[in-house]
Amino acid sequence: DSVFNTVVELMFGALDMDDCAIMIWDEVDNELEVQVDMNRHGLEDRITPKGTRLNLAKHPAKMAALKERDVIVVMRDDEDSPYPSEVEDLRANNDMVRILVPLVVREASIGLIQLEQTTAEKVITQQKVRLARALGAQVAVAIENARLTATMSAQFGELIIINELSRSISSTLELEGMLKVVADQVPAV
């Protein structure tokens, strides 16, 4: 969670946006799961709760960003947008712009950063889009590193328990004592 919160603060500072959500892609169910959603001004009614799952069949722009592995910008006033449901959502939430930044690691999308802006005064430039893309790439690597660290830590813990079990078994030659050691140690694995 601290990685996600740090990323959101970075996005607020670097891109000057009002809302930022980070979502992880569940390819099996084709859903995005919200990991964190924050509003720069602390407006609670603009925050999607952690754990909320979004069906990508209902969010074609998000799906396109993930599949194409490219940033998508949706503007509220774009009458010719290929994503009319996203435009409607912007209008319903009084947002002017939504930027969808895919999180890509080793040519595979793992999630999405959704940035929103509520005022028309701030212009979305190509420079801002390039910066969002670069930050998204760094965020994706950080998330993948955190995942790998957690997986390795869990595996290391299992190996320690297995080693303890092996040592305990080899220290006794009696079958009854060996069975007691196994019964005591196996639930920990």
Side-chain angles (χ1 to χ4, degrees), residues 42 44-45 59 80 96-97 125 148:
E44 294 292 323
D45 62 325
H59 301 277
D80 300 322
M96 296 304 292
V97 177
T125 63
L148 291 172

mmCIF file with all atom_site columns, all heavy atoms in Angstrom, residues 42 44-45 59 80 96-97 125 148:
data_model
loop_
_atom_site.group_PDB
_atom_site.id
_atom_site.type_symbol
_atom_site.label_atom_id
_atom_site.label_alt_id
_atom_site.label_comp_id
_atom_site.label_asym_id
_atom_site.label_entity_id
_atom_site.label_seq_id
_atom_site.pdbx_PDB_ins_code
_atom_site.Cartn_x
_atom_site.Cartn_y
_atom_site.Cartn_z
_atom_site.occupancy
_atom_site.B_iso_or_equiv
_atom_site.pdbx_formal_charge
_atom_site.auth_seq_id
_atom_site.auth_comp_id
_atom_site.auth_asym_id
_atom_site.auth_atom_id
_atom_site.pdbx_PDB_model_num
ATOM 1  N N   . GLY A 1 42  ? -8.906  15.856  -1.120  1.00 0.00 ? 42  GLY A N   1
ATOM 2  C CA  . GLY A 1 42  ? -9.497  15.111  -0.011  1.00 0.00 ? 42  GLY A CA  1
ATOM 3  C C   . GLY A 1 42  ? -10.996 14.899  -0.111  1.00 0.00 ? 42  GLY A C   1
ATOM 4  O O   . GLY A 1 42  ? -11.647 14.634  0.897   1.00 0.00 ? 42  GLY A O   1
ATOM 5  N N   . GLU A 1 44  ? -13.910 12.866  -0.397  1.00 0.00 ? 44  GLU A N   1
ATOM 6  C CA  . GLU A 1 44  ? -14.199 11.436  -0.213  1.00 0.00 ? 44  GLU A CA  1
ATOM 7  C C   . GLU A 1 44  ? -15.200 10.894  -1.232  1.00 0.00 ? 44  GLU A C   1
ATOM 8  O O   . GLU A 1 44  ? -15.128 9.722   -1.606  1.00 0.00 ? 44  GLU A O   1
ATOM 9  C CB  . GLU A 1 44  ? -14.728 11.181  1.204   1.00 0.00 ? 44  GLU A CB  1
ATOM 10 C CG  . GLU A 1 44  ? -13.704 11.440  2.301   1.00 0.00 ? 44  GLU A CG  1
ATOM 11 C CD  . GLU A 1 44  ? -12.562 10.439  2.297   1.00 0.00 ? 44  GLU A CD  1
ATOM 12 O OE1 . GLU A 1 44  ? -12.811 9.251   2.016   1.00 0.00 ? 44  GLU A OE1 1
ATOM 13 O OE2 . GLU A 1 44  ? -11.426 10.841  2.579   1.00 0.00 ? 44  GLU A OE2 1
ATOM 14 N N   . ASP A 1 45  ? -16.145 11.720  -1.691  1.00 0.00 ? 45  ASP A N   1
ATOM 15 C CA  . ASP A 1 45  ? -17.169 11.237  -2.620  1.00 0.00 ? 45  ASP A CA  1
ATOM 16 C C   . ASP A 1 45  ? -16.611 10.926  -4.011  1.00 0.00 ? 45  ASP A C   1
ATOM 17 O O   . ASP A 1 45  ? -17.287 10.345  -4.841  1.00 0.00 ? 45  ASP A O   1
ATOM 18 C CB  . ASP A 1 45  ? -18.318 12.248  -2.730  1.00 0.00 ? 45  ASP A CB  1
ATOM 19 C CG  . ASP A 1 45  ? -17.880 13.589  -3.282  1.00 0.00 ? 45  ASP A CG  1
ATOM 20 O OD1 . ASP A 1 45  ? -16.754 14.020  -2.985  1.00 0.00 ? 45  ASP A OD1 1
ATOM 21 O OD2 . ASP A 1 45  ? -18.682 14.215  -4.007  1.00 0.00 ? 45  ASP A OD2 1
ATOM 22 N N   . HIS A 1 59  ? -15.943 -1.009  -19.841 1.00 0.00 ? 59  HIS A N   1
ATOM 23 C CA  . HIS A 1 59  ? -14.982 0.103   -19.884 1.00 0.00 ? 59  HIS A CA  1
ATOM 24 C C   . HIS A 1 59  ? -14.026 -0.082  -21.068 1.00 0.00 ? 59  HIS A C   1
ATOM 25 O O   . HIS A 1 59  ? -12.849 -0.436  -20.887 1.00 0.00 ? 59  HIS A O   1
ATOM 26 C CB  . HIS A 1 59  ? -14.207 0.171   -18.571 1.00 0.00 ? 59  HIS A CB  1
ATOM 27 C CG  . HIS A 1 59  ? -15.073 0.360   -17.369 1.00 0.00 ? 59  HIS A CG  1
ATOM 28 N ND1 . HIS A 1 59  ? -15.533 1.596   -16.974 1.00 0.00 ? 59  HIS A ND1 1
ATOM 29 C CD2 . HIS A 1 59  ? -15.591 -0.532  -16.493 1.00 0.00 ? 59  HIS A CD2 1
ATOM 30 C CE1 . HIS A 1 59  ? -16.284 1.460   -15.894 1.00 0.00 ? 59  HIS A CE1 1
ATOM 31 N NE2 . HIS A 1 59  ? -16.345 0.175   -15.592 1.00 0.00 ? 59  HIS A NE2 1
ATOM 32 N N   . ASP A 1 80  ? -16.754 13.122  -30.853 1.00 0.00 ? 80  ASP A N   1
ATOM 33 C CA  . ASP A 1 80  ? -16.387 12.045  -31.776 1.00 0.00 ? 80  ASP A CA  1
ATOM 34 C C   . ASP A 1 80  ? -15.517 10.980  -31.108 1.00 0.00 ? 80  ASP A C   1
ATOM 35 O O   . ASP A 1 80  ? -14.861 10.191  -31.793 1.00 0.00 ? 80  ASP A O   1
ATOM 36 C CB  . ASP A 1 80  ? -15.634 12.628  -32.979 1.00 0.00 ? 80  ASP A CB  1
ATOM 37 C CG  . ASP A 1 80  ? -16.478 13.630  -33.747 1.00 0.00 ? 80  ASP A CG  1
ATOM 38 O OD1 . ASP A 1 80  ? -17.693 13.379  -33.880 1.00 0.00 ? 80  ASP A OD1 1
ATOM 39 O OD2 . ASP A 1 80  ? -15.928 14.648  -34.197 1.00 0.00 ? 80  ASP A OD2 1
ATOM 40 N N   . MET A 1 96  ? -13.273 16.873  -16.606 1.00 0.00 ? 96  MET A N   1
ATOM 41 C CA  . MET A 1 96  ? -13.001 17.390  -17.950 1.00 0.00 ? 96  MET A CA  1
ATOM 42 C C   . MET A 1 96  ? -12.170 16.414  -18.775 1.00 0.00 ? 96  MET A C   1
ATOM 43 O O   . MET A 1 96  ? -12.369 16.284  -19.971 1.00 0.00 ? 96  MET A O   1
ATOM 44 C CB  . MET A 1 96  ? -12.266 18.730  -17.864 1.00 0.00 ? 96  MET A CB  1
ATOM 45 C CG  . MET A 1 96  ? -13.084 19.833  -17.214 1.00 0.00 ? 96  MET A CG  1
ATOM 46 S SD  . MET A 1 96  ? -14.671 20.130  -18.011 1.00 0.00 ? 96  MET A SD  1
ATOM 47 C CE  . MET A 1 96  ? -14.175 20.814  -19.562 1.00 0.00 ? 96  MET A CE  1
ATOM 48 N N   . VAL A 1 97  ? -11.213 15.746  -18.111 1.00 0.00 ? 97  VAL A N   1
ATOM 49 C CA  . VAL A 1 97  ? -10.268 14.877  -18.824 1.00 0.00 ? 97  VAL A CA  1
ATOM 50 C C   . VAL A 1 97  ? -9.978  13.640  -17.990 1.00 0.00 ? 97  VAL A C   1
ATOM 51 O O   . VAL A 1 97  ? -9.890  13.713  -16.758 1.00 0.00 ? 97  VAL A O   1
ATOM 52 C CB  . VAL A 1 97  ? -8.935  15.617  -19.091 1.00 0.00 ? 97  VAL A CB  1
ATOM 53 C CG1 . VAL A 1 97  ? -7.916  14.714  -19.754 1.00 0.00 ? 97  VAL A CG1 1
ATOM 54 C CG2 . VAL A 1 97  ? -9.146  16.854  -19.915 1.00 0.00 ? 97  VAL A CG2 1
ATOM 55 N N   . THR A 1 125 ? -1.053  18.375  -22.491 1.00 0.00 ? 125 THR A N   1
ATOM 56 C CA  . THR A 1 125 ? -0.093  18.506  -23.585 1.00 0.00 ? 125 THR A CA  1
ATOM 57 C C   . THR A 1 125 ? 0.539   17.148  -23.898 1.00 0.00 ? 125 THR A C   1
ATOM 58 O O   . THR A 1 125 ? 0.447   16.211  -23.108 1.00 0.00 ? 125 THR A O   1
ATOM 59 C CB  . THR A 1 125 ? 1.027   19.487  -23.192 1.00 0.00 ? 125 THR A CB  1
ATOM 60 O OG1 . THR A 1 125 ? 1.728   18.939  -22.064 1.00 0.00 ? 125 THR A OG1 1
ATOM 61 C CG2 . THR A 1 125 ? 0.469   20.862  -22.825 1.00 0.00 ? 125 THR A CG2 1
ATOM 62 N N   . LEU A 1 148 ? 7.490   -9.517  -6.567  1.00 0.00 ? 148 LEU A N   1
ATOM 63 C CA  . LEU A 1 148 ? 8.553   -10.532 -6.543  1.00 0.00 ? 148 LEU A CA  1
ATOM 64 C C   . LEU A 1 148 ? 9.167   -10.651 -5.156  1.00 0.00 ? 148 LEU A C   1
ATOM 65 O O   . LEU A 1 148 ? 9.454   -11.759 -4.689  1.00 0.00 ? 148 LEU A O   1
ATOM 66 C CB  . LEU A 1 148 ? 9.622   -10.205 -7.587  1.00 0.00 ? 148 LEU A CB  1
ATOM 67 C CG  . LEU A 1 148 ? 9.194   -10.349 -9.042  1.00 0.00 ? 148 LEU A CG  1
ATOM 68 C CD1 . LEU A 1 148 ? 10.280  -9.811  -9.970  1.00 0.00 ? 148 LEU A CD1 1
ATOM 69 C CD2 . LEU A 1 148 ? 8.857   -11.787 -9.376  1.00 0.00 ? 148 LEU A CD2 1
#
